[in-house]
Amino acid sequence: MARRPQDLKHRSREVTEGPQRAPARAYLRSMGLRDEDIARPFVGIANTWNDVMPCQINLDAIGRKVREGIRSAGGTPREFNTIAVSDGIAMGHEGMRASLVSREIIADSIELMIHAHGYDALVTVAGCDKTIPGSLMALARLNVPGVFTYGGTMLPGRYEGRDVTIQDVFEAVGAYAAGRIDAAALDALERAACPGAGTCAGLYTANTMASCAEALGMALSGDAAIPTLDPARIDHSVRVGEAALRVLELGIRPRDVLVREAFENAIALDAAMGGSTNAVLHLLAIAHEARVKLTIDDFERISRRTPHLVTMKPAGKYVMSDLHKAGGVPIVLRRLLDAGKIHGDALTVTGARIRDVLRDVSRTIPGDIVARIDRPLSPSGTLAILKGNLAPDGAVVKTALVKHLRHRGPARVFDAEQEAFAAAQDREIRPQEVVVIRYEGPRGGPGMREMLAMTAALVGQGLGDEVALITDGRFSGATRGLMVGHVSPEAWEGGPIALLRDGDVIEVDVPERKLRVELTKADLAKRRKSWRRPKPRYPRGALAKYAKLVGSAARGAVCE
Ligand code: FES
């Protein structure tokens, strides 16, 4: 049964009540709060808005609607911002080292704001790759009643009669370098690909993680796929604000929702959708904050038993707004539920079980964006965890529509992404080679850069099916081809990837889940004797601090 509003000030009472809190109330009054506003529960809105990237630029409007919902449901909204890094703009240069670090700063800053101001509930509003996991990590860590909401996807652009996204622009850079398109075509594509506000339009990391938030039960049903400029996003955002008061009344806390079954549901959804490999890193990190024991092997186990159903970019032809038209993430979850592939009893922030949330979702799905369960795109999901003498702790690969799942070839070793990219631009990468990019892990980078510029350059040159790439860094959700990331232990820690030399024969065997180099234990031990850790790239500042604290990618690259 719902409690009376004054019972809901379980944290903010300490800030707003009693004679000794007169100074705090004086500040609140100076901002226009009346007695009745101060008497209500305070709901923080952690908004990752900024105007440096299209995926954040609309979040202030969404925040205003969330405020409306909070007020109409009897709460007092208190909104604040966090930082946010655009992976798309940071991609391919030193700036990308800041991206994964920002996930921790976002989680930490939300934690500190809620800790300092004693808010009773929390809504997080996020819209890019790291803001989503950062927000969910904060909700799990704080365990204050709360709801996650997403900014929404960008619509695709149109170029030469087809839908295009930022992925096409990255790949066009490679095609231009290879002389396959001219400067005018590259320019025209650049101008067409991103038609307005919203997150990158395909099933890249932001749309993947927003979908996972729904599967985790931390977002309202339908939250992930509504485009940012769709009027439905406005009504939805008001409902999110109202839901924050309801979750407070019900006394449901994030760690009631973020239990093992919720993570298994999110992994199954990611595998069925063909989502980003970054989901491995981020779900492990959120589970860590929620005190749920989740390992990289859970991804392998669940992906193997989950059919790949959804065809979306980067591997397929559709984008997130197409999924919205077909019914959004709930239609995929419904299909998985009917097939017994997710836990129907998992709790959501609404207080309902996911089975009940999905009860009225149609089983009829228009078009071919979601395959039937008995006719999947492939019988198992799209995430695979490889192990072997090159990755004793594991490595991650996305198999969605990858043509060659077995590859054996000579290593071309680079100690940083820029060196590899320069070689690709100079057309020095040969078919059959295995491109190795190391010292790009969480510690060694630091920051575990994404390699989209490099992988797109290879695809753009027509080498996507001819080469393989392995790295202790990671990939954008827009990466495609046989690209193996998160190789652990990383080079900086002296992992076997640090011992590779040009010409070593590497075998990537996805069906057998193997990643190995044709060297004996004795060969590796001999090379290890002469290995020296390089000097840190960043001896000072936030990146240096991060490098000291961060752990292995195989455990989510969390700072402990
Ligand atoms: Fe933010 Fe792609 S850069 S979603």
Side-chain angles (χ1 to χ4, degrees):
M1 201 175 77
R3 287 173 284 176
R4 291 169 47 197
Q6 61 265 38
D7 297 325
L8 304 180
K9 284 179 71 70
H10 63 122
R11 302 180 83 243
S12 65
R13 178 176 294 123
E14 194 177 339
V15 178
T16 62
E17 292 182 3
Q20 67 276 45
R21 296 295 175 250
R25 287 194 298 275
Y27 286 123
L28 294 170
R29 291 184 201 289
S30 76
M31 294 181 281
L33 271 70
R34 302 158 302 168
D35 286 345
E36 54 268 41
D37 301 318
I38 296 171
R40 290 173 170 178
F42 280 13
V43 182
I45 304 173
N47 196 326
T48 60
W49 173 88
N50 63 38
D51 69 359
V52 304
M53 54 224 259
C55 39
Q56 306 289 327
I57 200 162
N58 208 37
L59 299 189
D60 56 341
I62 288 171
R64 282 195 292 276
K65 290 294 158 187
V66 172
R67 283 175 187 235
E68 259 180 58
I70 291 169
R71 272 204 198 91
S72 71
T76 295
R78 312 302 301 143
E79 190 168 4
F80 57 91
N81 278 96
T82 74
I83 63 157
V85 166
S86 165
D87 281 18
I89 295 172
M91 193 72 69
H93 56 87
E94 278 295 297
M96 193 65 205
R97 299 196 197 283
S99 165
L100 191 59
V101 183
S102 75
R103 184 187 76 177
E104 310 306 306
I105 307 277
I106 290 161
D108 290 354
S109 62
I110 296 173
E111 176 194 346
L112 295 178
M113 286 297 282
I114 297 296
H115 190 70
H117 300 104
Y119 298 149
D120 303 298
L122 171 64
V123 177
T124 58
V125 183
C128 193
D129 300 15
K130 305 306 167 298
T131 60
I132 302 168
S135 301
L136 289 164
M137 287 163 71
L139 281 160
R141 188 186 298 171
L142 286 158
N143 210 24
V144 169
V147 183
F148 168 86
T149 193
Y150 187 42
T153 183
M154 186 188 288
L155 298 174
R158 292 290 291 173
Y159 177 70
E160 293 187 333
R162 64 189 165 97
D163 282 349
V164 289
T165 71
I166 193 69
Q167 175 195 343
D168 296 271
V169 184
F170 275 104
E171 291 178 4
V173 173
Y176 174 70
R180 300 169 94 194
I181 62 169
D182 61 18
L186 179 60
D187 180 69
L189 186 55
E190 172 191 319
R191 290 169 196 279
C194 298
T199 58
C200 297
L203 187 60
Y204 312 140
T205 303
N207 282 329
T208 297
M209 289 310 300
S211 303
C212 286
E214 247 186 91
L216 286 169
M218 287 304 297
L220 300 190
S221 188
D223 188 73
I226 308 168
T228 197
L229 297 177
D230 190 316
R233 179 62 70 184
I234 301 290
D235 292 344
H236 178 84
S237 302
V238 175
R239 282 201 298 280
V240 169
E242 294 165 352
L245 265 289
R246 204 160 49 244
V247 75
L248 178 58
E249 287 166 0
L250 291 168
I252 296 172
R253 292 175 181 260
R255 295 209 287 267
D256 299 330
V257 174
L258 294 170
V259 297
R260 187 172 177 85
E261 287 74 15
F263 286 96
E264 295 198 344
N265 287 351
I267 296 169
L269 180 79
D270 186 42
M273 289 183 71
S276 164
T277 47
N278 282 314
V280 178
L281 205 62
H282 299 324
L283 288 172
L284 286 171
I286 299 162
H288 173 81
E289 299 290 355
R291 300 153 169 67
V292 170
K293 207 168 174 310
L294 195 73
T295 72
I296 202 166
D297 298 322
D298 290 311
F299 289 81
E300 172 62 30
R301 181 176 54 81
I302 295 167
S303 186
R304 267 191 196 268
R305 71 171 193 216
T306 309
H308 179 204
L309 299 178
V310 182
T311 172
M312 285 174 70
K313 287 174 184 280
K317 61 179 169 179
Y318 294 112
V319 294
M320 199 65 172
S321 54
D322 294 319
L323 185 65
H324 175 60
K325 284 181 214 146
V329 170
I331 57 168
V332 188
L333 287 171
R334 172 90 210 212
R335 200 152 269 191
L336 292 172
L337 178 70
D338 288 346
K341 301 292 183 187
I342 59 169
H343 303 282
D345 286 339
L347 185 67
T348 71
V349 278
T350 63
R353 307 278 157 188
I354 203 157
R355 170 180 292 115
D356 300 320
V357 170
L358 298 173
R359 180 151 290 146
D360 296 329
V361 172
S362 171
R363 289 190 168 95
T364 311
I365 303 175
D368 60 353
I369 188 168
V370 185
R372 282 172 38 170
I373 207 96
D374 57 349
R375 277 196 233 142
L377 300 168
S378 72
S380 58
T382 56
L383 289 172
I385 306 300
L386 310 187
K387 291 192 178 172
N389 69 352
L390 206 38
D393 294 344
V396 180
V397 64
K398 182 159 83 172
T399 60
L401 306 185
V402 176
K403 288 198 186 119
H404 69 313
L405 290 171
R406 286 192 166 95
H407 187 103
R408 184 174 171 278
R412 280 293 302 281
V413 182
F414 301 94
D415 285 347
E417 187 199 10
Q418 288 97 324
E419 292 172 21
F421 185 72
Q425 289 294 88
D426 293 342
R427 318 272 337 256
E428 287 174 8
I429 307 296
R430 303 271 165 261
Q432 204 57 37
E433 285 181 339
V434 179
V435 178
V436 177
I437 308 178
R438 64 189 179 190
Y439 297 106
E440 291 286 3
R443 284 209 155 159
M448 206 182 177
R449 285 196 291 186
E450 290 183 354
M451 306 281 158
L452 177 58
M454 179 62 192
T455 59
L458 295 173
V459 170
Q461 289 178 18
L463 288 171
D465 297 323
E466 312 279 337
V467 298
L469 187 152
I470 71 166
T471 178
D472 51 6
R474 61 198 172 93
F475 301 116
S476 154
T479 283
R480 58 189 173 131
L482 188 57
M483 312 293 177
V484 184
H486 308 203
V487 171
S488 301
E490 60 173 298
W492 180 259
E493 297 292 358
I497 191 173
L499 309 177
L500 293 177
R501 293 177 186 161
D502 281 344
D504 287 343
V505 176
I506 292 175
E507 187 188 3
V508 183
D509 187 334
V510 179
E512 294 297 322
R513 304 297 195 254
K514 290 268 182 275
L515 177 62
R516 49 185 304 280
V517 56
E518 294 182 2
L519 292 172
T520 63
K521 264 189 186 168
D523 295 331
L524 289 169
K526 195 168 159 209
R527 288 189 188 182
R528 184 173 302 285
K529 279 191 186 143
S530 56
W531 176 75
R532 298 285 173 273
R533 177 177 287 158
K535 281 200 178 124
R537 289 189 176 103
Y538 290 85
R540 280 159 209 261
L543 293 176
K545 211 187 301 181
Y546 177 82
K548 285 210 175 83
L549 291 174
V550 71
S552 167
R555 293 192 302 279
V558 295
C559 293
E560 304 192 65

